Amino acid sequence: MGIIYSDLAVSADGFATGIGQTEQSPFGDIDENWLHGWMFEATEENQAEVDAIVDSGATIMGRNMFGPIRGEWDRDWRGWWGPNPPYHGPVFVLTHFAHDPIEMEGGTTFHFVTGGPEAALELARATAGDRNISIAGGARTVNQFLALGVIDQLRLHVTPYLLGAGERVFDGLAAQPLERIAVRAASTVTHITYGPVRGR
Amino acid sequence: MGIIYSDLAVSADGFATGIGQTEQSPFGDIDENWLHGWMFEATEENQAEVDAIVDSGATIMGRNMFGPIRGEWDRDWRGWWGPNPPYHGPVFVLTHFAHDPIEMEGGTTFHFVTGGPEAALELARATAGDRNISIAGGARTVNQFLALGVIDQLRLHVTPYLLGAGERVFDGLAAQPLERIAVRAASTVTHITYGPVRGR
């Protein structure tokens, strides 16, 4: 059996987004490099962590991570990742608006789940086999699954910036001990993996 | 010239205290080991960090870190640290209530400063010589000095616990890049030093 994990880039002050999220700026009114620059500017030294992000047999994401459309599906949208997304397996997108599955190149299929996080998790479990399940984001979706108490590994990628405002990872969780499973300091980002999160 | 530094133990969710601080529980309604256990339970492996906390020519602390008395000085109190405190130099205690200096063994003298953080800093600078100045705590005092933009090194000691509520280190600061000066992973705590904090 695999584990359920989530990767999240967070600022030194604990924010996984800025404020003022819009369709065009899903991470809000910040320089997105302040959260994710390490993935693109220092690819080689962070390759192991970047590879691990998509090393899953099934993936769950919030609708805002899938794309900028809100409300009814009023135009064709197939994700941010081009014809061959990096997931190479089923991706369960949480939404209130039903949509037919979208099959992409390389084995990625986007499925649209209207039954909520627990329904998505059940579907992911049924398809992941022995592999891990990734809760890919965004911050609010990860927080929902943390609150459910189902995350075995929370992999924080802590960047040396203060955002000052935004969405926090841990809001609403119970006081609890965690296990610190791993730490690795790359040149700017600090990778810290925490163990099972019990939830609310 | 020395630097101005501050050491602060924080939980994985960024809290430097719990909630419900009282005279008897200065860190609030939490198991204090969740923040400071690494200093006492794993002394040897954290010796360098523990020693660095008090390696200052002058120290500034908030009144609540000095002791449990609030309002007028209505009883004799000489700090939590016994007759020979670990500071071995001048300690400037921020208070609204004037008090004569208290000379302790080992070179520590507690001075009581009623003119606010900037006045305390001026006194510390005048006495520290070439050595560093420590902003010792508590969380609110450290936050005040961070907001002033005078902290050269903020040394976070990140513990593997969620507190869920309490006082945050970075509240009210401007969005800004920091330098990550050092990281060291001890067996449970992760020591991360961030560079100059610009303030509000």
Side-chain angles (χ1 to χ4, degrees), chain B residues 53-75:
Chain B
I53 292 172
V54 290
D55 184 17
S56 60
T59 299
I60 297 172
M61 65 176 62
R63 182 186 185 170
N64 297 1
M65 181 164 175
F66 174 68
I69 302 172
R70 304 288 177 271
E72 294 289 346
W73 299 102
D74 58 359
R75 66 203 121 131

PDB file of all heavy atoms in Angstrom, chain B residues 53-75:
ATOM      1  N   ILE B  53      22.753  31.339  21.988  1.00  0.00           N
ATOM      2  CA  ILE B  53      21.605  32.138  22.448  1.00  0.00           C
ATOM      3  C   ILE B  53      22.052  33.231  23.419  1.00  0.00           C
ATOM      4  O   ILE B  53      21.550  34.354  23.381  1.00  0.00           O
ATOM      5  CB  ILE B  53      20.541  31.220  23.119  1.00  0.00           C
ATOM      6  CG1 ILE B  53      19.897  30.304  22.075  1.00  0.00           C
ATOM      7  CG2 ILE B  53      19.486  32.046  23.856  1.00  0.00           C
ATOM      8  CD1 ILE B  53      18.976  29.233  22.654  1.00  0.00           C
ATOM      9  N   VAL B  54      23.009  32.909  24.282  1.00  0.00           N
ATOM     10  CA  VAL B  54      23.436  33.881  25.297  1.00  0.00           C
ATOM     11  C   VAL B  54      24.833  34.434  25.027  1.00  0.00           C
ATOM     12  O   VAL B  54      25.452  35.012  25.913  1.00  0.00           O
ATOM     13  CB  VAL B  54      23.362  33.264  26.724  1.00  0.00           C
ATOM     14  CG1 VAL B  54      21.901  33.077  27.127  1.00  0.00           C
ATOM     15  CG2 VAL B  54      24.121  31.948  26.794  1.00  0.00           C
ATOM     16  N   ASP B  55      25.321  34.296  23.801  1.00  0.00           N
ATOM     17  CA  ASP B  55      26.647  34.818  23.464  1.00  0.00           C
ATOM     18  C   ASP B  55      26.523  36.277  23.002  1.00  0.00           C
ATOM     19  O   ASP B  55      26.750  36.608  21.840  1.00  0.00           O
ATOM     20  CB  ASP B  55      27.287  33.954  22.374  1.00  0.00           C
ATOM     21  CG  ASP B  55      28.709  34.412  22.067  1.00  0.00           C
ATOM     22  OD1 ASP B  55      29.280  35.157  22.892  1.00  0.00           O
ATOM     23  OD2 ASP B  55      29.244  34.036  21.003  1.00  0.00           O
ATOM     24  N   SER B  56      26.150  37.140  23.931  1.00  0.00           N
ATOM     25  CA  SER B  56      25.907  38.544  23.588  1.00  0.00           C
ATOM     26  C   SER B  56      26.628  39.453  24.575  1.00  0.00           C
ATOM     27  O   SER B  56      26.883  39.077  25.717  1.00  0.00           O
ATOM     28  CB  SER B  56      24.408  38.839  23.624  1.00  0.00           C
ATOM     29  OG  SER B  56      23.905  38.589  24.927  1.00  0.00           O
ATOM     30  N   GLY B  57      26.948  40.654  24.111  1.00  0.00           N
ATOM     31  CA  GLY B  57      27.518  41.667  24.998  1.00  0.00           C
ATOM     32  C   GLY B  57      26.450  42.448  25.743  1.00  0.00           C
ATOM     33  O   GLY B  57      26.721  43.090  26.761  1.00  0.00           O
ATOM     34  N   ALA B  58      25.229  42.412  25.209  1.00  0.00           N
ATOM     35  CA  ALA B  58      24.077  43.032  25.877  1.00  0.00           C
ATOM     36  C   ALA B  58      22.823  42.312  25.419  1.00  0.00           C
ATOM     37  O   ALA B  58      22.767  41.795  24.299  1.00  0.00           O
ATOM     38  CB  ALA B  58      23.993  44.516  25.545  1.00  0.00           C
ATOM     39  N   THR B  59      21.824  42.270  26.286  1.00  0.00           N
ATOM     40  CA  THR B  59      20.601  41.513  26.025  1.00  0.00           C
ATOM     41  C   THR B  59      19.395  42.397  26.303  1.00  0.00           C
ATOM     42  O   THR B  59      19.413  43.191  27.241  1.00  0.00           O
ATOM     43  CB  THR B  59      20.568  40.267  26.945  1.00  0.00           C
ATOM     44  OG1 THR B  59      21.706  39.451  26.647  1.00  0.00           O
ATOM     45  CG2 THR B  59      19.298  39.454  26.745  1.00  0.00           C
ATOM     46  N   ILE B  60      18.375  42.247  25.459  1.00  0.00           N
ATOM     47  CA  ILE B  60      17.119  42.969  25.684  1.00  0.00           C
ATOM     48  C   ILE B  60      16.005  41.950  25.823  1.00  0.00           C
ATOM     49  O   ILE B  60      15.960  40.982  25.048  1.00  0.00           O
ATOM     50  CB  ILE B  60      16.819  43.920  24.496  1.00  0.00           C
ATOM     51  CG1 ILE B  60      17.905  44.991  24.385  1.00  0.00           C
ATOM     52  CG2 ILE B  60      15.432  44.553  24.644  1.00  0.00           C
ATOM     53  CD1 ILE B  60      17.809  45.852  23.129  1.00  0.00           C
ATOM     54  N   MET B  61      15.139  42.138  26.802  1.00  0.00           N
ATOM     55  CA  MET B  61      13.987  41.233  26.905  1.00  0.00           C
ATOM     56  C   MET B  61      12.746  41.997  27.335  1.00  0.00           C
ATOM     57  O   MET B  61      12.823  43.080  27.927  1.00  0.00           O
ATOM     58  CB  MET B  61      14.260  40.080  27.881  1.00  0.00           C
ATOM     59  CG  MET B  61      14.449  40.463  29.311  1.00  0.00           C
ATOM     60  SD  MET B  61      14.655  39.014  30.433  1.00  0.00           S
ATOM     61  CE  MET B  61      16.152  38.249  29.807  1.00  0.00           C
ATOM     62  N   GLY B  62      11.609  41.434  27.013  1.00  0.00           N
ATOM     63  CA  GLY B  62      10.343  41.979  27.478  1.00  0.00           C
ATOM     64  C   GLY B  62      10.150  41.652  28.951  1.00  0.00           C
ATOM     65  O   GLY B  62      10.754  40.729  29.504  1.00  0.00           O
ATOM     66  N   ARG B  63       9.286  42.417  29.579  1.00  0.00           N
ATOM     67  CA  ARG B  63       9.070  42.223  31.001  1.00  0.00           C
ATOM     68  C   ARG B  63       8.502  40.844  31.315  1.00  0.00           C
ATOM     69  O   ARG B  63       8.800  40.260  32.366  1.00  0.00           O
ATOM     70  CB  ARG B  63       8.095  43.296  31.477  1.00  0.00           C
ATOM     71  CG  ARG B  63       7.869  43.197  32.947  1.00  0.00           C
ATOM     72  CD  ARG B  63       6.812  44.148  33.401  1.00  0.00           C
ATOM     73  NE  ARG B  63       6.715  44.082  34.840  1.00  0.00           N
ATOM     74  CZ  ARG B  63       6.023  44.907  35.581  1.00  0.00           C
ATOM     75  NH1 ARG B  63       5.360  45.890  34.999  1.00  0.00           N
ATOM     76  NH2 ARG B  63       5.972  44.768  36.874  1.00  0.00           N
ATOM     77  N   ASN B  64       7.667  40.323  30.437  1.00  0.00           N
ATOM     78  CA  ASN B  64       7.053  39.019  30.700  1.00  0.00           C
ATOM     79  C   ASN B  64       8.064  37.889  30.616  1.00  0.00           C
ATOM     80  O   ASN B  64       7.856  36.820  31.192  1.00  0.00           O
ATOM     81  CB  ASN B  64       5.908  38.749  29.730  1.00  0.00           C
ATOM     82  CG  ASN B  64       4.783  39.758  29.886  1.00  0.00           C
ATOM     83  OD1 ASN B  64       4.869  40.668  30.710  1.00  0.00           O
ATOM     84  ND2 ASN B  64       3.748  39.594  29.095  1.00  0.00           N
ATOM     85  N   MET B  65       9.153  38.116  29.893  1.00  0.00           N
ATOM     86  CA  MET B  65      10.221  37.119  29.896  1.00  0.00           C
ATOM     87  C   MET B  65      11.028  37.217  31.184  1.00  0.00           C
ATOM     88  O   MET B  65      11.542  36.208  31.677  1.00  0.00           O
ATOM     89  CB  MET B  65      11.133  37.317  28.691  1.00  0.00           C
ATOM     90  CG  MET B  65      12.253  36.288  28.641  1.00  0.00           C
ATOM     91  SD  MET B  65      13.050  36.192  27.038  1.00  0.00           S
ATOM     92  CE  MET B  65      14.370  35.016  27.448  1.00  0.00           C
ATOM     93  N   PHE B  66      11.113  38.427  31.726  1.00  0.00           N
ATOM     94  CA  PHE B  66      11.866  38.613  32.977  1.00  0.00           C
ATOM     95  C   PHE B  66      11.155  37.978  34.160  1.00  0.00           C
ATOM     96  O   PHE B  66      11.797  37.405  35.050  1.00  0.00           O
ATOM     97  CB  PHE B  66      12.092  40.104  33.226  1.00  0.00           C
ATOM     98  CG  PHE B  66      12.734  40.410  34.551  1.00  0.00           C
ATOM     99  CD1 PHE B  66      14.052  40.050  34.800  1.00  0.00           C
ATOM    100  CD2 PHE B  66      12.024  41.051  35.556  1.00  0.00           C
ATOM    101  CE1 PHE B  66      14.648  40.321  36.023  1.00  0.00           C
ATOM    102  CE2 PHE B  66      12.617  41.326  36.786  1.00  0.00           C
ATOM    103  CZ  PHE B  66      13.927  40.958  37.016  1.00  0.00           C
ATOM    104  N   GLY B  67       9.838  38.081  34.167  1.00  0.00           N
ATOM    105  CA  GLY B  67       9.142  37.523  35.320  1.00  0.00           C
ATOM    106  C   GLY B  67       7.643  37.610  35.211  1.00  0.00           C
ATOM    107  O   GLY B  67       7.108  38.168  34.255  1.00  0.00           O
ATOM    108  N   PRO B  68       6.947  37.076  36.212  1.00  0.00           N
ATOM    109  CA  PRO B  68       5.487  36.993  36.154  1.00  0.00           C
ATOM    110  C   PRO B  68       4.765  38.233  36.679  1.00  0.00           C
ATOM    111  O   PRO B  68       3.539  38.298  36.594  1.00  0.00           O
ATOM    112  CB  PRO B  68       5.189  35.792  37.056  1.00  0.00           C
ATOM    113  CG  PRO B  68       6.272  35.839  38.086  1.00  0.00           C
ATOM    114  CD  PRO B  68       7.499  36.364  37.374  1.00  0.00           C
ATOM    115  N   ILE B  69       5.505  39.207  37.212  1.00  0.00           N
ATOM    116  CA  ILE B  69       4.829  40.363  37.812  1.00  0.00           C
ATOM    117  C   ILE B  69       4.293  41.273  36.710  1.00  0.00           C
ATOM    118  O   ILE B  69       4.980  41.580  35.751  1.00  0.00           O
ATOM    119  CB  ILE B  69       5.793  41.159  38.731  1.00  0.00           C
ATOM    120  CG1 ILE B  69       6.334  40.245  39.828  1.00  0.00           C
ATOM    121  CG2 ILE B  69       5.082  42.374  39.327  1.00  0.00           C
ATOM    122  CD1 ILE B  69       7.434  40.876  40.662  1.00  0.00           C
ATOM    123  N   ARG B  70       3.036  41.687  36.832  1.00  0.00           N
ATOM    124  CA  ARG B  70       2.441  42.654  35.918  1.00  0.00           C
ATOM    125  C   ARG B  70       2.148  43.934  36.694  1.00  0.00           C
ATOM    126  O   ARG B  70       2.006  43.904  37.918  1.00  0.00           O
ATOM    127  CB  ARG B  70       1.143  42.105  35.305  1.00  0.00           C
ATOM    128  CG  ARG B  70       1.300  40.763  34.588  1.00  0.00           C
ATOM    129  CD  ARG B  70       2.047  40.906  33.262  1.00  0.00           C
ATOM    130  NE  ARG B  70       2.258  39.601  32.619  1.00  0.00           N
ATOM    131  CZ  ARG B  70       3.329  38.826  32.835  1.00  0.00           C
ATOM    132  NH1 ARG B  70       4.275  39.209  33.661  1.00  0.00           N
ATOM    133  NH2 ARG B  70       3.440  37.669  32.210  1.00  0.00           N
ATOM    134  N   GLY B  71       2.059  45.065  36.001  1.00  0.00           N
ATOM    135  CA  GLY B  71       1.764  46.330  36.668  1.00  0.00           C
ATOM    136  C   GLY B  71       2.912  46.760  37.564  1.00  0.00           C
ATOM    137  O   GLY B  71       4.080  46.508  37.263  1.00  0.00           O
ATOM    138  N   GLU B  72       2.589  47.395  38.694  1.00  0.00           N
ATOM    139  CA  GLU B  72       3.623  47.871  39.627  1.00  0.00           C
ATOM    140  C   GLU B  72       4.462  46.704  40.159  1.00  0.00           C
ATOM    141  O   GLU B  72       3.967  45.595  40.327  1.00  0.00           O
ATOM    142  CB  GLU B  72       2.967  48.601  40.815  1.00  0.00           C
ATOM    143  CG  GLU B  72       2.256  49.896  40.463  1.00  0.00           C
ATOM    144  CD  GLU B  72       3.223  51.028  40.093  1.00  0.00           C
ATOM    145  OE1 GLU B  72       4.448  50.895  40.356  1.00  0.00           O
ATOM    146  OE2 GLU B  72       2.751  52.021  39.523  1.00  0.00           O
ATOM    147  N   TRP B  73       5.729  47.006  40.445  1.00  0.00           N
ATOM    148  CA  TRP B  73       6.618  45.995  41.048  1.00  0.00           C
ATOM    149  C   TRP B  73       6.209  45.811  42.507  1.00  0.00           C
ATOM    150  O   TRP B  73       6.618  46.571  43.371  1.00  0.00           O
ATOM    151  CB  TRP B  73       8.072  46.449  40.959  1.00  0.00           C
ATOM    152  CG  TRP B  73       8.531  46.647  39.546  1.00  0.00           C
ATOM    153  CD1 TRP B  73       8.678  47.828  38.887  1.00  0.00           C
ATOM    154  CD2 TRP B  73       8.913  45.636  38.623  1.00  0.00           C
ATOM    155  NE1 TRP B  73       9.118  47.622  37.609  1.00  0.00           N
ATOM    156  CE2 TRP B  73       9.274  46.278  37.405  1.00  0.00           C
ATOM    157  CE3 TRP B  73       8.990  44.243  38.667  1.00  0.00           C
ATOM    158  CZ2 TRP B  73       9.689  45.580  36.269  1.00  0.00           C
ATOM    159  CZ3 TRP B  73       9.407  43.545  37.539  1.00  0.00           C
ATOM    160  CH2 TRP B  73       9.751  44.209  36.360  1.00  0.00           C
ATOM    161  N   ASP B  74       5.394  44.818  42.796  1.00  0.00           N
ATOM    162  CA  ASP B  74       4.817  44.702  44.129  1.00  0.00           C
ATOM    163  C   ASP B  74       5.508  43.651  44.986  1.00  0.00           C
ATOM    164  O   ASP B  74       5.075  43.358  46.087  1.00  0.00           O
ATOM    165  CB  ASP B  74       3.309  44.420  44.029  1.00  0.00           C
ATOM    166  CG  ASP B  74       3.011  43.160  43.242  1.00  0.00           C
ATOM    167  OD1 ASP B  74       3.975  42.504  42.760  1.00  0.00           O
ATOM    168  OD2 ASP B  74       1.818  42.828  43.099  1.00  0.00           O
ATOM    169  N   ARG B  75       6.555  43.041  44.444  1.00  0.00           N
ATOM    170  CA  ARG B  75       7.324  42.097  45.265  1.00  0.00           C
ATOM    171  C   ARG B  75       8.707  41.948  44.667  1.00  0.00           C
ATOM    172  O   ARG B  75       8.953  42.356  43.530  1.00  0.00           O
ATOM    173  CB  ARG B  75       6.603  40.740  45.360  1.00  0.00           C
ATOM    174  CG  ARG B  75       6.492  39.989  44.045  1.00  0.00           C
ATOM    175  CD  ARG B  75       5.326  38.980  44.059  1.00  0.00           C
ATOM    176  NE  ARG B  75       4.402  39.303  42.978  1.00  0.00           N
ATOM    177  CZ  ARG B  75       3.940  38.386  42.102  1.00  0.00           C
ATOM    178  NH1 ARG B  75       4.253  37.120  42.220  1.00  0.00           N
ATOM    179  NH2 ARG B  75       3.139  38.745  41.134  1.00  0.00           N
TER     180      ARG B  75
END
